[in-house]
């Protein structure tokens, strides 16, 4: 609960003995993806309800579960989830904790009061010490943290739905940061480095990531407007969205500054909020640069 800082020194040898790469060559270099565990998952027929106010989170989970053979339905809040469960037979529910209209805790409490015995797994970005006891007391069967860890999610579902891991092609590479392309920096002190989602090259998830990248500038503009207007509830909501969606879309670097922005906005600390938003905006420029680089590499590959 305290955190630890590690400093690592690596001996790079004599610089004069190593051939240095020019910026133009770096810009043309392909975006490398670290290898992932060669696992795929298979499940018997089962129906899962995914409840989350973030469309990106729902779409990501839908792709992952449908690829494993599961049937998936979606609900954008707890109220809609109650309606779905009353009308359809499900085998398991993935329930976000914080949603508008009706949050996951309220929805789960109502389901349990009605005698519902379905496994209900909480999805929470607030994995503080003791949160397991809190979600258990609320009636949840278990809890998973956001951003979603694919391996942990699939293992949890496998235990409850009888799934199994099989050898096969890896689907989700690790996060990647591409070298910076030659560009004019926004300021003398800032080096805009291309940031590419670890999911960008996934055949079915890649387009979802692309839609997230396209809408990010508008969301950042809304955050700027909310901060200028001192509309902290709106800024809190936007930061909460980015904290969950950014990580789920494979931009893990967005999580900590979005978390800091949400906390500052909730506390009404405009100075800390401005500082966190500046970092979020910097990452937004890196993501935009990564999208440009990825598009140029795709054009070259197709040509």
């Amino acid at each position: 609960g305290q955190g630890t800082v590690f400093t690592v020194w690596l001996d790079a040898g004599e610089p004069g003995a190593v051939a240095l790469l020019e910026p133009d060559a770096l810009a043309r270099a392909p975006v490398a993806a670290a290898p992932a565990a060669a696992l795929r998952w298979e499940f018997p027929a089962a129906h899962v309800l995914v409840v989350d106010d973030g469309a990106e989170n729902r779409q990501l989970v839908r792709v992952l579960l449908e690829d494993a053979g599961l049937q998936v339905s979606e609900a954008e809040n707890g109220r809609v989830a109650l309606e779905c469960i009353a009308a359809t037979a499900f085998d398991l529910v993935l329930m976000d904790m914080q949603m508008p209209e009706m949050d996951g805790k309220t929805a789960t409490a109502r389901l349990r009061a009605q005698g519902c015995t379905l496994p209900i797994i909480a999805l929470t970005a607030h994995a503080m010490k003791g949160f397991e006891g809190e979600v258990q007391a609320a009636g949840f069967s278990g809890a998973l943290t956001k951003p979603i860890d694919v391996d942990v999610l699939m293992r949890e579902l496998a235990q409850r739905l009888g799934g199994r891991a099989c050898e096969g092609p890896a689907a989700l590479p690790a996060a990647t940061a591409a070298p910076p392309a030659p560009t004019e920096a926004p300021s003398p002190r800032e080096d805009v480095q291309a940031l590419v989602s670890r999911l960008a090259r996934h055949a079915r998830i890649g387009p979802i990531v692309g839609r997230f990248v396209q809408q990010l500038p508008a969301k950042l503009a809304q955050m700027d407007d909310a901060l200028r207007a001192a509309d902290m509830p709106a800024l809190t909501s936007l930061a909460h969205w980015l904290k969950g969606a950014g990580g789920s879309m494979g931009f893990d670097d967005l999580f900590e500054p979005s978390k800091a922005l949400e906390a500052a906005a909730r506390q009404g600390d405009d100075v800390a909020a401005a500082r966190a938003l500046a970092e979020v905006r910097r990452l937004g420029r890196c993501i935009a640069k990564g999208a440009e680089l990825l598009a140029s590499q795709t054009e070259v590959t197709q040509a």
Side-chain angles (χ1 to χ4, degrees), residues 31 201 288-302:
V31 179
R201 297 185 183 278
K289 180 60 66 177
E292 293 174 6
L293 181 59
L294 195 62
S296 67
Q297 290 175 357
T298 301
E299 290 174 1
V300 170
T301 301
Q302 291 174 346

Side-chain angles (χ1 to χ4, degrees), residues 201-214:
R201 297 185 183 278
H202 189 282
R204 294 185 62 196
I205 298 176
I208 302 174
V209 175
R211 290 195 292 271
F212 169 81
V213 172
Q214 289 174 356

Side-chain angles (χ1 to χ4, degrees), residues 3-88:
T4 305
V5 176
F6 294 91
T7 301
V8 179
W9 291 88
L10 301 177
D11 184 1
E14 288 297 327
V18 180
L20 301 181
L21 298 179
E22 295 298 326
D24 288 345
L26 287 173
R28 293 191 299 269
V31 179
L39 286 179
R40 60 183 176 85
W41 294 86
E42 293 181 353
F43 284 79
H47 195 175
V48 177
L49 177 63
V50 180
V51 189
D52 198 306
D53 62 320
E56 299 84 1
N57 290 333
R58 297 197 306 270
Q59 292 166 0
L60 171 64
V61 174
R62 172 185 283 277
V63 168
L64 294 171
L65 302 194
E66 287 182 345
D67 282 351
L70 294 166
Q71 182 181 354
V72 179
S73 293
E74 301 178 23
E76 62 267 30
N77 57 54
R79 179 185 59 77
V80 176
L82 293 178
E83 296 171 356
C84 291
I85 293 171
T88 306

Side-chain angles (χ1 to χ4, degrees), residues 105 108-109 112 116 118-121 133-142:
K105 186 183 294 187
T108 300
R112 297 310 189 204
C116 176
L118 281 174
I120 304 177
I121 309 300
E134 179 184 346
V135 297
Q136 185 177 9
F140 289 98
S141 309

